[in-house]
Amino acid sequence: MKKKLLIGLSIILLLFFLGFLFIRPQLRILAGYVAKNACSCAYVQGMAKEQIRTEDVGYGLLRFADFELNEEERSASSSVYGLVKRVAIYRGDLGCVLVPKAGLGDDKINPTLDFPSSTIAGFPFEKTKGDSLHTTIDNLQIQNALSIGFEALGTRAIVVVKNGQIIAEQYSEGFDENSLHLGWSMSKSITNALIGILVKQGKLSLDQNNLLEEWKGTPKAAITLNDLLQMNSGLLWEEAYGKACAATNMLFEEAAMGKYAAAQEREGIAGEKWYYSSGTSNILSEIIRRNFTSDKSYWNFPYRALFSKINTPSFRLEADASGTYVGSSYSYATARDWAKFGLLFLNNGNQNGQQILPRDWVNHTRTIAPNSSGEYGAHFWLNRNQKFPAAPDDLYYCGGFNGQYVFIIPSEDMVIVRLGIDGLGEMNANQLLENVLKSIRE
């Protein structure tokens, strides 16, 4: 009897151990997500601990991971019932990063960067079109049009810009025009702009191949810059966020995200299969970094070449443990500065008379990527497939996890920004677009 009991207990313990080994990668991802985002919410965005706990990491499976903030070290630690523990630390101007596995990356990098300051009055620059520009728009009606957005509990900010001026703006309690918001995959569109600037400078070209030293002499050498921009690399990838996979391993386990993505197996010929991949964006970030001879010139590049030019001093980019910006996911700005970024593309890459992007760059950005069924361009989403039937076909947009949007509508000379957390209540983006467009047309 005793022998049978011992055998039974041994089997149970073995099954428990095997089960833990199976779920451990998922638990590490979960704890890593909470630690990283709690750190960034606290030390990049300046949010209070209780708000972070109840909102930013307070929904779905995230609730199973607890976190603590260490104000002295400026770090956040998270665990799932004590089974796994992850730690993220704040590195000043490079934001927060998960502490990497031993011997990988450098979580102590902490340079001082040259952030731009706001020196130009008005929105986005001097008012050149007159204060009476919008006398035909009913301010009450346009403001009421935003109400659909705030019916969703997670909406934090909506800004509507027409003809270069704000015509409606609203924030949820605890947020205002100075609050920073995480863009998630809207960061990919920033990566588009940074690549465009390097193309304008003659350092890169769309048809360029042999993009990485480690690809030379392999079939990957045929991948062009344009293949990457249009998500047609042919590299094997899985973009899923409910489990451990290529995307979540990259974001929450890897010290050098671009190198990890670049090392993925080739599953097809570049240009033949469209697949949305955050790894692709971080390969582009790796390519950007390798165009600079010093780390400091690379780290300052987005601020000097882009954000200072479009008067968006609030933008902050976070880097991985190797010091490379996470071009797929980690960018922050106020709602107004996200709107100004949209205006850069609405104005064909020109801001206040200065051509920042190549003259044909925005047209290329809006060109349908091969095999994307009209929903994607070059690191921007399109509305050619009428995902948002209330909006015109020419709408294109930056889109990010949890309902982050910068909608650009050329035919209406309009930019609409929505920021928030859909995990707390999903917003009907199509209804928001319909309400806003209807309010300005009546």
Side-chain angles (χ1 to χ4, degrees), residues 150-162:
F150 286 89
E151 286 177 8
L153 293 176
T155 298
R156 290 176 166 176
I158 300 178
V159 175
V160 181
V161 178
K162 185 169 175 62

Side-chain angles (χ1 to χ4, degrees), residues 259-297:
K259 291 179 181 178
Y260 168 80
Q264 298 301 301
E265 295 296 322
R266 179 173 171 266
E267 67 168 350
I269 299 172
E272 289 191 351
K273 178 184 176 182
W274 181 85
Y275 187 80
Y276 181 79
S277 162
S278 291
T280 299
S281 304
N282 287 322
I283 293 171
L284 288 170
S285 282
E286 184 68 27
I287 291 168
I288 291 171
R289 185 174 190 179
R290 295 188 192 187
N291 270 271
F292 291 85
T293 56
S294 76
D295 287 339
K296 187 158 187 181
S297 61

Side-chain angles (χ1 to χ4, degrees), residues 277-381:
S277 162
S278 291
T280 299
S281 304
N282 287 322
I283 293 171
L284 288 170
S285 282
E286 184 68 27
I287 291 168
I288 291 171
R289 185 174 190 179
R290 295 188 192 187
N291 270 271
F292 291 85
T293 56
S294 76
D295 287 339
K296 187 158 187 181
S297 61
Y298 162 69
W299 288 324
N300 279 315
F301 168 62
Y303 300 98
R304 290 177 175 174
L306 177 60
F307 302 136
S308 67
K309 305 292 185 184
I310 61 175
N311 193 30
T312 54
S314 72
F315 264 104
R316 295 293 182 269
L317 305 182
E318 288 184 314
D320 63 20
S322 75
T324 303
Y325 288 124
V326 185
S328 65
S329 309
Y330 296 145
S331 58
Y332 304 79
T334 65
R336 289 181 177 184
D337 279 359
W338 278 115
K340 291 177 187 177
F341 179 74
L343 283 171
L344 173 67
F345 282 81
L346 182 68
N347 295 330
N348 200 35
N350 187 293
Q351 198 71 296
N352 205 35
Q354 183 178 8
Q355 192 66 37
I356 296 167
L357 304 176
R359 293 187 183 278
D360 60 348
W361 191 255
V362 173
N363 284 334
H364 183 72
T365 291
R366 298 170 56 197
T367 299
I368 298 173
N371 310 306
S372 72
S373 301
E375 66 175 325
Y376 207 74
H379 270 51
F380 274 74
W381 294 94

